[in-house]
Amino acid sequence: MNLSRRSLLKSAAALAVFPTLARSAPLTLTAREGAQLIAPPGYPETDIWGFDGSVPGSPIHLQQGERVQRRLVNELPQATSVHWHGIRIDNAMDGVPGLTQEAVPSGATFDYDFIVPDAGTYWYHAHNKSVEQVARGLYGPLIVHESEAPDVEQDLVLMLDDWRLDPETAQITQDFDNGHDLSHAGRLGNLTTVNGAFDPSFPVQQNQRLRLRLVNAANARVFTVGLDGMSGWIVALDGMPLAEPIPIEDTFPLAPAQRADLLVDVLAAETASLFSQERDGAFGLARFVVAGQAASTPRAGVRPLPPNPLPELTDINNVPRHEMRLQGGAMRWLESARIGETELSGRELAQLGRFWALNGYAERPDDPFLDASPGSVHRIAFVNETVFPHAMHLHGHHFRLILPDGSLGPWRDTVLVERGETREIALVTDNPGNWLLHCHMLGHAASGMMSWYRVT
Ligand code: C2O
Ligand code: CU
């Protein structure tokens, strides 16, 4: 039989007979090589790996409650997978090789299909050899819009990253398994970008209100972000609205994988900027070039974003508390730790490129850190025994920070635990499945800081 598409479309009867031919092809997300200008003008383009060949990869925008369907097509020379970071997702779609699916080999495909229950700023990224694949550019924004969005003139996604480029050729250095990086702060770059470009500029008008969706897509860098020539509020963290927006009076940290949604008013007459405060001074991340006035005065006040359908979490006083000790790294070298049930010395571990451990395991253990029944409430205390900060991330659930006074803080999916610090969180384990729990400094995850919990 040889039916042309046109003859099929002409006949409604044919459509009924061949319904699969009438269905539209699935949307694809192709992981492949690409090249783009990452370094400042005058440098050559950088070879990257990107979703649909660019960094960031194709943006995905949808409404709260909608369904995401994407066929991952792997055209890379390595196996890969996609993790939809921060989405309270169906476990089978979480994208973790060896836990929720097999890594997708070169030339193969995998169909992702899930509902997004929460509005907010999320992102997707490769979750196989992440320390390399994310560093090469395999990430993109996943934005879920509220049915009633706040009143703004511009809604901008700003994905922050840092790259380690050869200063001559502008190519990504291939030292992803560099033992010094792995055992220290992780792979820090020598060039920062926003949306894959160095020092980009955005046209704005004075007294415009902007929604800035900041996403830290860097391998290891904690950005300490600040605003110049703009003022406003943090209205959401890690996708989840704050019950009370926080006025931005100073710089604030954004750890790898964390997001912050800001509502800001442009006050500057010429240029406003987003900057990062580093030890040796502030440097600009992006510029907002003012042309004209949108109004004679900025808007007054802000309203919280509409809440997401998160579980009730109020009483955390009589619930089990689980301690997770973060161990190892430079200056606190592991004496020993386990891989499976085998106890290895620090020296043996270092030879395997393992420098960190979570509760004595230098690799995701066979048994889960926490075995929880659906709907139960748990506290987890991250005890940082190392001299480096770690960005601890739970898949599958958001949790609430427990503030130093014992009260409940914001909902998050990634918590920054500073050196020597203990941070407690509380969560309702209402999403069944096997969920990863790891440090989002990707070199730390690759060299030992990887665990998991189970909800059954
Ligand atoms: Cu964005 Cu397992 O992480
Ligand atoms: Cu870490």
Side-chain angles (χ1 to χ4, degrees):
M1 192 172 344
N2 189 0
L3 287 173
S4 72
R5 184 174 140 78
R6 184 168 305 146
S7 68
L8 267 180
L9 291 177
K10 262 195 241 162
S11 157
L15 285 177
V17 177
F18 304 106
T20 55
L21 292 182
R23 211 179 279 155
S24 57
L27 290 173
T28 57
L29 191 62
T30 303
R32 62 176 174 84
E33 294 167 344
Q36 73 186 51
L37 186 65
I38 301 278
Y43 279 91
E45 288 191 332
T46 300
D47 294 329
I48 57 107
W49 291 1
F51 288 107
D52 296 331
S54 69
V55 58
S58 301
I60 300 178
H61 285 270
L62 67 167
Q63 289 291 319
Q64 184 169 13
E66 282 185 344
R67 185 169 171 190
V68 177
Q69 289 175 291
R70 288 289 185 287
R71 172 164 294 173
L72 168 67
V73 179
N74 184 7
E75 292 181 0
L76 299 171
Q78 265 179 18
T80 193
S81 71
V82 182
H83 172 57
W84 311 90
H85 185 115
I87 302 294
R88 296 189 297 139
I89 201 168
D90 172 5
N91 190 247
M93 296 290 119
D94 199 41
V96 180
L99 194 66
T100 68
Q101 68 171 92
E102 289 314 311
V104 182
S106 309
T109 68
F110 186 91
D111 290 342
Y112 289 98
D113 184 350
F114 56 93
I115 302 286
V116 288
D118 303 309
T121 301
Y122 304 94
W123 64 303
Y124 63 90
H125 60 80
H127 212 297
N128 192 43
K129 297 187 190 292
S130 311
V131 64
E132 170 174 353
Q133 295 194 358
V134 174
R136 288 185 184 272
L138 286 165
Y139 62 79
L142 172 54
I143 306 300
V144 185
H145 295 272
E146 300 85 9
S147 51
E148 281 180 49
D151 171 34
V152 296
E153 270 83 30
Q154 297 195 57
D155 183 336
L156 301 171
V157 181
L158 304 174
M159 296 194 88
L160 281 41
D161 196 0
D162 69 339
W163 300 75
R164 188 179 292 177
L165 301 184
D166 180 313
E168 296 295 312
T169 62
Q171 297 309 308
I172 297 168
T173 66
Q174 315 265 323
D175 52 340
F176 305 109
D177 55 3
N178 176 321
H180 183 273
D181 291 341
L182 296 179
S183 61
H184 289 73
R187 181 184 171 93
L188 298 171
N190 53 8
L191 180 87
T192 57
T193 58
V194 172
N195 298 346
F198 174 72
D199 194 28
S201 69
F202 299 87
V204 297
Q205 291 185 301
Q206 198 177 34
N207 298 326
Q208 267 188 343
R209 178 162 286 185
L210 316 175
R211 180 178 189 159
L212 304 181
R213 300 173 182 267
L214 309 183
V215 181
N216 184 350
N219 235 269
R221 182 179 296 275
V222 179
F223 285 96
T224 303
V225 295
L227 301 173
D228 194 37
M230 298 190 274
S231 82
W233 297 264
I234 302 175
V235 294
L237 290 170
D238 295 351
M240 297 302 171
L242 297 174
E244 287 184 36
I246 303 170
I248 304 168
E249 271 144 14
D250 205 347
T251 57
F252 59 92
L254 196 68
Q258 290 186 326
R259 287 88 65 214
D261 282 53
L262 317 181
L263 288 182
V264 301
D265 297 308
V266 178
L267 305 180
E270 282 171 13
T271 312
S273 69
L274 174 74
F275 64 86
S276 178
Q277 186 66 49
E278 300 281 315
R279 225 172 304 168
D280 42 356
F283 63 89
L285 292 169
R287 281 171 296 123
F288 301 84
V289 179
V290 183
Q293 266 200 338
S296 54
T297 55
R299 285 198 192 40
V302 70
R303 275 192 296 167
L305 299 174
N308 280 324
L310 288 154
E312 264 318 294
L313 179 54
T314 44
D315 183 20
I316 53 161
N317 292 318
N318 297 302
V319 305
R321 179 179 184 273
H322 315 270
E323 233 174 55
M324 175 165 275
R325 283 167 300 121
L326 320 183
Q327 303 155 317
M331 275 89 87
R332 289 283 190 281
W333 303 104
L334 294 172
E335 235 160 74
S336 70
R338 279 192 261 187
I339 291 187
E341 289 318 304
T342 315
E343 188 89 23
L344 298 172
S345 71
R347 182 179 298 266
E348 291 168 317
L349 290 163
Q351 276 161 1
L352 297 171
R354 298 298 162 83
F355 300 99
W356 307 90
L358 296 175
N359 280 0
Y361 283 93
E363 183 173 286
R364 175 160 53 85
D366 296 334
D367 294 328
F369 157 71
L370 163 64
D371 215 339
S373 55
S376 56
V377 181
H378 299 266
R379 296 167 75 125
I380 299 174
F382 294 110
V383 183
N384 187 349
E385 298 176 352
T386 80
V387 300
F388 292 89
H390 302 282
M392 300 306 294
H393 169 49
L394 270 65
H395 284 217
H397 295 81
H398 275 65
F399 49 77
R400 289 189 75 171
L401 300 179
I402 302 176
L403 303 179
D405 68 359
S407 65
L408 288 168
W411 289 94
R412 304 213 69 143
D413 61 43
T414 304
V415 56
L416 179 62
V417 189
E418 295 286 359
R419 54 187 288 176
E421 191 183 50
T422 295
R423 292 302 309 256
E424 273 199 67
I425 64 167
L427 77 157
V428 184
T429 52
D430 60 353
N431 195 0
N434 296 333
W435 302 109
L436 217 54
L437 188 178
H438 63 92
C439 178
H440 221 288
M441 274 84 172
L442 299 173
H444 294 175
S447 58
M449 295 194 122
M450 196 57 105
S451 187
W452 66 295
Y453 67 107
R454 176 163 62 199
V455 182
T456 41

